[in-house]
Amino acid sequence: MDFRAMDLTTLAAEAFQYGYPLLTSLAAVEREGGADNTFRHQRRFDDRANANPDLLHSTARLDLSGGPLWLRVPDTGDRYHVLQFVDAWTDNFAYVGRRSTGGGEREFLLVPPGWAGREAPGAQVIRIPTMVTTLIGRFACGGADDATAVHALQDALRIEPMYPQVPLDGLPHPQAGVPEDLVFFETLRRALAAFPPSPAERRYQRRFAAIGLLEPGTSPYAGAPRELRETLRDGLEAARDQLEEEATTRHAELVNGWTNDLHMFDFNLDFFEVGTMDTPEWTMPDRDEAHVMRAVAARTGLWGNHAYESVAPTVHKDAAGVRLSGAHRYELRFPEPPPAEAGWSLSMYDAPGSFPVPNPLDRRAIGTDTPGLRPEADGSLTIRIQHERPDDVANWLPAPEGGFRPVLRVYEPSQAVLSGAFQPPPVMRL
C-alpha cells in the first residue's frame, strides 16, 4: 500500500462519510436479532418501541447468500401497507404494497446479485443489490379493535428459501487484533468486500485503496504504524464532527415552521426495482451530494422511505417562532384536509424525549380514521392542541404539560403534497 499518495487525513474523513450509512445499517440489522429470512412482528403499540400510532411493523433480515427467496404477500384489500426493501448501503430499491403493487395476493422471487438461474411463472422478480437486505413491512392499524385483523395479515407473510439446505454467510465482522481506534476502518474494509456496490460506486471507491480499505485477506490495520493510526484517527474525528453539523443544516427550509424533507431519501442512483421511481425528480443529480445525504439520512432517519410513499413533516415552534408548550393552547387550521390516497394523521410527541403522550382519551394521533372528527361547513378542518381537556373533544389532540412536537404523516401523498403546492399550515397560539 502507498500511504503517501494523498492527504490521508482528508481521505479518512471521506471514508467515514462514505461508509457510515453502511456500517450504521449493518449494526441496526444485527441489533434486530432473530433468524435470517424470517419475519419479526410487532403485535401492539408500544410508546417506547414504536412511536408511530398508525402502523404495526413486520421486519426481516434477508440473507441471499444461499440463493433466491420466495416472498408471498396475502390479500390485504384496500388497507394501506408497504414492504420497503433497503439494501446494505441504505438505498431504497423496491416497494411492494398498496401504492405500487395493489392489494391482491402476490408472489415475488427475490434473487441475489448476479443471479442467472431459473425464474418462476407467476412470480414477479425483484433483483436484490446486496446479499444482506432489510425488509420493513408497515400495516395500517386502527387501534386495538383492528389489531387482530392486522396480525392475521402479518402471519400470512411468507419468506421461503429456494435452496433451504445451503448455509448462509451472515454478516461480516472485523478481524481480531485491530486497534480500537482503527476498528471502524477494519469493519468498513470487510463490509466493502461483502457488499460491492454498482460499477459507478466501485470507481469512486478506488480512492480508498490508499488507506487500505480495498486490501483483501489479512487486515492492514492490525499492525499499522503509529503515524498512520494518528492520521486516520484525526480524519475520523473531523468527519464525525462534520456529520453532526451536516445533520443540523442539510435540510429543506422550514415551511410555516414545518420541516418537510421531500428529497432526503433520493440518494439511490443505481438500483430501481418495483415501486421505485428512476426519474430526475426523485434522484439526486450529483453523486457526491448523494453520499452526503445518505450519511445525514442514516444519522437522522435510518431506513426512511421516499416521499412518494409517505411523508412526515414535523414542527417544533408556533407561528411566532416560539417553541410549543403545553402551557399554552393552539389551533392548526387546514383549509382542506391533507390530500392523501391512503389517509393522514397528526401525531403528538413530547420534547425533547420524542415519545407519544399518554392522555385521558388514549389519543396519540388524530386524522382520517378518528371517529367523530368534524370539519367546518366550508370544508376546512381545525385541530385544537392543548394540555387541558376542552369541552368539545372531537377535534382535540392532547398535548403534554411541557414541550412537544406534532408530526403530520401523509400516506401515499397526492401530487399537491409532492410538488409543495400543499403546505402544512402554521400552528397558531390562542
Side-chain angles (χ1 to χ4, degrees):
M1 290 182 301
D2 180 7
F3 290 111
R4 298 167 296 176
M6 60 183 301
D7 183 344
L8 299 188
T9 302
T10 299
L11 196 58
E14 290 181 7
F16 173 82
Q17 181 191 80
Y18 185 76
Y20 176 84
L22 175 62
L23 299 195
T24 299
S25 183
L26 294 178
V29 164
E30 194 157 36
R31 285 196 303 271
E32 287 280 323
D36 290 312
N37 304 327
T38 302
F39 278 106
R40 298 174 295 282
H41 303 301
Q42 175 206 354
R43 296 301 199 184
R44 62 186 179 85
F45 293 107
D46 186 303
D47 286 353
R48 297 283 164 172
N50 175 52
N52 186 333
D54 304 328
L55 308 173
L56 290 178
H57 291 71
S58 295
T59 60
R61 180 174 74 188
L62 306 181
D63 187 336
L64 291 98
S65 58
L69 303 170
W70 301 102
L71 171 65
R72 295 181 173 90
V73 181
D75 188 332
T76 53
D78 195 44
R79 181 185 298 272
Y80 175 75
H81 70 290
V82 62
L83 300 179
Q84 172 190 355
F85 290 75
V86 190
D87 73 9
W89 290 89
T90 72
D91 289 333
N92 298 321
F93 65 91
Y95 296 95
V96 167
R98 182 185 184 276
R99 174 188 63 85
S100 55
T101 56
E105 185 176 357
R106 290 139 292 165
E107 184 177 52
F108 300 88
L109 182 63
L110 315 181
V111 301
W115 176 253
R118 69 181 177 90
E119 297 179 0
Q124 183 171 355
V125 173
I126 299 178
R127 302 189 180 279
I128 309 298
T130 55
M131 284 299 183
V132 171
T133 286
T134 302
L135 183 55
I136 307 167
R138 301 178 176 95
F139 292 87
C141 182
D145 294 340
D146 191 33
T148 299
V150 175
H151 295 167
L153 295 175
Q154 291 176 309
D155 291 338
L157 290 171
R158 291 285 186 273
I159 299 173
E160 297 174 9
M162 181 178 283
Y163 305 113
Q165 72 280 8
V166 177
L168 304 177
D169 292 342
L171 296 173
H173 292 94
Q175 178 182 309
V178 173
E180 183 65 28
D181 53 357
L182 298 183
V183 166
F184 175 89
F185 295 101
E186 169 60 13
T187 307
L188 181 57
R189 181 186 75 92
R190 298 274 291 166
L192 291 177
F195 306 113
S198 69
E201 288 293 300
R202 290 190 189 194
R203 288 192 294 272
Y204 181 89
Q205 285 182 9
R206 290 173 187 166
R207 68 186 65 198
F208 300 130
I211 55 173
L213 285 176
L214 305 187
E215 288 289 305
T218 303
S219 173
Y221 305 115
R226 180 177 60 83
E227 183 179 356
L228 175 64
R229 287 179 59 181
E230 292 176 352
T231 297
L232 296 182
R233 185 175 63 241
D234 290 345
L236 204 62
E237 291 175 357
R240 287 185 172 128
D241 291 341
Q242 180 62 27
L243 179 58
E244 293 305 309
E245 176 66 18
E246 299 280 6
T248 61
T249 59
R250 287 276 182 153
H251 295 281
E253 292 185 6
L254 297 180
V255 175
N256 292 330
W258 294 81
T259 60
N260 192 14
D261 286 314
L262 294 173
H263 299 286
M264 173 173 278
F265 298 96
D266 295 354
F267 44 78
N268 174 23
L269 303 179
D270 300 307
F271 299 105
F272 298 90
E273 294 291 313
V274 60
T276 54
M277 297 186 185
D278 182 9
T279 64
E281 181 183 5
W282 298 107
T283 53
M284 294 181 177
D286 181 84
R287 193 168 289 271
D288 289 337
E289 176 69 9
H291 292 160
V292 174
M293 288 307 299
R294 187 172 64 184
V296 170
R299 175 65 182 86
T300 62
L302 183 67
W303 299 342
N305 51 229
H306 285 91
Y308 50 74
E309 184 64 42
S310 67
V311 299
T314 186
V315 63
H316 296 265
K317 297 180 180 180
D318 64 20
V322 179
R323 289 200 172 272
L324 301 172
S325 169
H328 308 294
R329 296 180 296 116
Y330 305 90
E331 281 188 352
L332 184 63
R333 182 184 179 278
F334 294 97
E336 60 179 4
E341 296 296 325
W344 65 274
S345 74
L346 184 71
S347 303
M348 174 61 68
Y349 300 90
D350 65 15
S354 294
F355 292 112
V357 177
N359 59 83
L361 293 186
D362 196 28
R363 180 180 286 176
R364 269 65 168 175
I366 194 168
T368 303
D369 297 328
T370 302
L373 190 65
R374 288 201 300 269
E376 303 296 333
D378 62 359
S380 65
L381 179 67
T382 299
I383 306 298
R384 298 194 64 176
I385 303 174
Q386 60 189 63
H387 179 63
E388 299 85 0
R389 180 184 180 121
D391 294 334
D392 184 351
V393 300
N395 291 12
W396 176 42
L397 180 62
E401 291 185 271
F404 65 86
R405 64 175 187 94
V407 175
L408 177 64
R409 292 188 173 90
V410 184
Y411 300 101
E412 293 183 36
S414 73
Q415 185 57 34
V417 175
L418 299 179
S419 69
F422 168 83
Q423 298 179 351
V427 178
M428 305 299 297
R429 178 176 164 181
L430 299 178

